[in-house]
Amino acid sequence: SMLLRAYADKIHHIRKGRYNFVEITAGIPERVFAIRTVTALVAALAVGVLLNLLLPDGAKQALDTYVLLPVETIFINCLKLITGPMVFFSIISAFSQYASFSDPGRVSLKVLIGYVCTSLIAIVVGWGVFQLLKPGTVGQLAAFAAQATALPSEQQSFLATLVDIVPSNIIAPFVSMNSVQLIFLALLCGVAMGQAGEYSAPLRRATDALYTLCSKVTSLLVGLIPIVTFASVISMLLNSGESILLSLAEMVGAVLLGCALM
């Protein structure tokens, strides 16, 4: 029972008549996926530099416009498409098992405190690493920073922010990708579904099935990351040239140091 619970996200079962059908999802090891992504990054750097040397400007622009940018745009649109439903159904699936909102209250409080603490640590680490390394001070990003102008900030009162948590209709949070409104709506539906008891059992099963569907779609998209990395890095090199690599090296170094400190 403990093993099955530990791998609950990879094991799904359904009973049909006298038989239990069990599906076990076998995924690619994380190390293999990381190797593929890094390999795609290194290959893209080599191919991008080579294309910059061999192709004329017109050919580079055509390759970027008709091949590389569409790959990146389609992938980002797919992520936007699945993020809202994934958050919505996962939260409903988690909270619909409780008959009262007070049941998961203690666990939710611990999660909230842990989230706040780790967020504060991450902010301090990120600010400290930035002050130490100052990424973007050399290379092409330095020129971009010099030309940048501060955008006017939009200030909103605490009351307006609190009121904005509640959406005016059920479609708006998905259209605007408002994460806070999505979480509020999912919590409300999940708790209400749990209080409905056995009357909502078919709806809970449907919600679990939709969450599983979103998870499958997300897994398929994650598998495309090496391809998208390859296209994105080549596109960046064709547009900005090799001078961008020094700035990127600074940024990557800062991120890796921050992750190591965390």
Side-chain angles (χ1 to χ4, degrees), residues 190-209:
V191 173
M193 196 181 301
Q195 291 182 349
E198 291 301 319
Y199 294 101
S200 64
L203 188 56
R204 286 202 301 271
R205 289 194 294 269
T207 302
D208 293 340

Side-chain angles (χ1 to χ4, degrees), residues 113-193:
I113 294 175
Y115 176 77
V116 171
C117 292
T118 53
S119 297
L120 289 175
I121 295 173
I123 291 172
V124 173
V125 169
W127 180 83
V129 171
F130 177 82
Q131 294 297 325
L132 177 65
L133 299 182
K134 297 188 182 300
T137 54
V138 298
Q140 195 166 13
L141 289 182
F144 293 156
Q147 297 173 1
T149 56
L151 297 176
S153 60
E154 296 182 2
Q155 295 185 355
Q156 191 175 17
S157 66
F158 175 76
L159 180 60
T161 303
L162 189 62
V163 171
D164 191 55
I165 293 176
V166 183
S168 58
N169 60 78
I170 196 172
I171 304 297
F174 293 93
V175 175
S176 61
M177 282 302 299
N178 191 317
S179 300
V180 178
Q181 291 184 351
L182 272 175
I183 293 173
F184 172 82
L185 188 61
L187 285 173
L188 188 63
C189 293
V191 173
M193 196 181 301

Side-chain angles (χ1 to χ4, degrees), residues 11-32:
I11 299 177
H12 303 279
H13 63 88
I14 186 172
R15 183 173 180 84
K16 293 183 179 180
R18 297 181 301 163
Y19 300 97
N20 289 319
F21 295 89
V22 179
E23 176 188 291
I24 301 177
T25 303
I28 301 175
E30 295 181 1
R31 183 176 299 178
V32 175

